[in-house]
Amino acid sequence: MSPVRYKTVEVSGIRIFYREARNVGAPKLLLLHGFPTASHMFRDLLPLVAEKFDVIAPDLPGFGQSEMPAREKFLYTFENIARVIERFTEIVGFDRFAPYLFDYGAPTGFRMAVRHPERITAIISQNGNAYEEGLSDGWTPIRAYWENASQANRNALRAFLTAETTAWQYAHGVPDLTIVSPDGRNLDNYYLARPGADEIQLDLLGDYKSNVALYPSFQRYFRTHKPPFLAVWGKNDPFFLPSGAEAFKRDIPEAKVRFFDTGHFALETHCAEIAKVINDFLGDQA
């Protein structure tokens, strides 16, 4: 197995950090993280899938070790993030690949798939939503900001950026908290505490409505192209409900759906089990 390497490449004028375990000639697997984390969420998964696959995990622009351009220089929208990551895949030679999509990584990857279906060999969604019924009541204050982008509604969303909320996201729905390392949440909180990071994250919470508006387009892509699809889902996720995972089967009847008794960050508690499901699923596609 190739060692995990840590690199940086310039993409559209932005330095993008990424982890890679290259396995030349093997099927390609792109790991896309979500909020408020970074590619470090895949630290345990990478070695478990690198023997069979050529794996790369970038930090999205403004997240983790990737550059965080000022808002005056880069408009933080999911469309712009998707275009940067799309260009990133071209630079690192990921011409055809299976994306693993988590949280914010889902609308990023689905946008890429809609634009270039010929590049997608399969899709793995881990608590990455594409259906209205998958959105829980936890989105209510965010929806209020979508409907009225007042400063008061924007400020109300700052509760999502606190250290306490990050810890809650890691803990909610986890039966045994002793197996959840504090390292992940502490590193996430470090990134969230950087000057200017709060406004960037509020911009993205506001722009998430553009992803919901694209749900019909994502679903049309699923129905038209029917990519091999695997949903691996923490069933106790407070934001993305199990019904959102089941909904993929409506448009891709052959989709495989697996639930795990955990919360939003399923890899923190069920990494080995999810890695086995991925290896079996992508092995079948190969």
Side-chain angles (χ1 to χ4, degrees), residues 4-269:
V4 177
R5 301 181 187 278
Y6 308 91
K7 298 183 177 181
T8 302
V9 64
E10 185 170 311
V11 181
S12 303
I14 300 172
R15 293 188 306 277
I16 298 296
F17 170 86
Y18 63 102
R19 301 159 194 261
E20 67 170 23
R22 302 308 301 261
N23 189 348
V24 178
K28 296 178 173 64
L29 178 61
L30 177 72
L31 308 177
L32 296 181
H33 69 84
F35 168 84
T37 188
S39 65
H40 70 83
M41 70 168 283
F42 301 116
R43 63 197 179 279
D44 296 326
L45 181 66
L46 261 167
L48 299 180
V49 295
E51 186 172 342
K52 294 183 177 180
F53 305 105
D54 188 7
V55 192
I56 287 183
D59 287 356
L60 303 179
F63 289 78
Q65 297 291 325
S66 284
E67 188 175 0
M68 187 175 68
R71 295 163 69 225
E72 296 77 19
K73 296 182 178 180
F74 182 79
L75 186 61
Y76 284 89
T77 66
F78 285 90
E79 180 63 22
N80 284 342
I81 286 176
R83 291 195 178 277
V84 170
I85 297 303
E86 185 176 289
R87 180 63 185 138
F88 167 81
T89 62
E90 296 168 353
I91 292 173
V92 299
F94 261 41
D95 50 351
R96 299 190 74 242
F97 56 90
Y100 177 112
L101 309 175
F102 168 71
D103 190 82
Y104 279 10
T108 300
F110 292 149
R111 287 169 189 263
M112 294 163 59
V114 167
R115 277 197 293 271
H116 293 287
E118 75 282 358
R119 298 181 182 181
I120 304 301
T121 59
I123 295 176
I124 302 163
S125 177
Q126 189 246 296
N127 297 72
N129 192 59
Y131 296 87
E132 284 270 6
E133 60 261 48
L135 299 175
S136 75
D137 290 342
W139 287 86
T140 299
I142 304 172
R143 287 184 183 272
Y145 183 54
W146 298 346
E147 295 168 5
N148 178 9
S150 68
Q151 190 61 49
N153 283 343
R154 183 179 177 92
N155 286 339
L157 301 185
R158 294 183 184 278
F160 287 97
L161 310 181
T162 66
E164 292 77 14
T165 298
T166 302
W168 174 80
Q169 286 191 74
Y170 273 82
H172 183 85
V174 177
D176 181 3
L177 291 179
T178 65
I179 64 174
V180 179
S181 168
D183 300 325
R185 67 173 184 262
N186 289 339
L187 187 53
D188 290 350
N189 282 327
Y190 166 80
Y191 292 138
L192 284 174
R194 292 176 296 176
D198 56 343
E199 297 300 332
I200 287 170
Q201 295 303 331
L202 293 176
D203 287 347
L204 289 173
L205 286 172
D207 188 61
Y208 201 93
K209 66 180 178 181
S210 70
N211 300 325
V212 179
L214 283 176
Y215 281 178
S217 177
F218 298 161
Q219 294 159 19
R220 185 163 54 252
Y221 160 78
F222 300 148
R223 289 193 300 272
T224 302
H225 296 280
K226 290 185 170 54
F229 199 98
L230 169 66
V232 286
W233 217 266
K235 68 177 184 177
N236 306 321
D237 191 325
F239 297 109
F240 297 119
L241 302 172
S243 54
E246 294 285 5
F248 288 110
K249 295 166 71 173
R250 187 163 66 232
D251 294 310
I252 309 174
E254 299 302 315
K256 295 177 171 59
V257 179
R258 289 286 305 274
F259 291 109
F260 297 88
D261 187 17
T262 190
H264 188 61
F265 291 101
L267 290 179
E268 296 294 313
T269 57

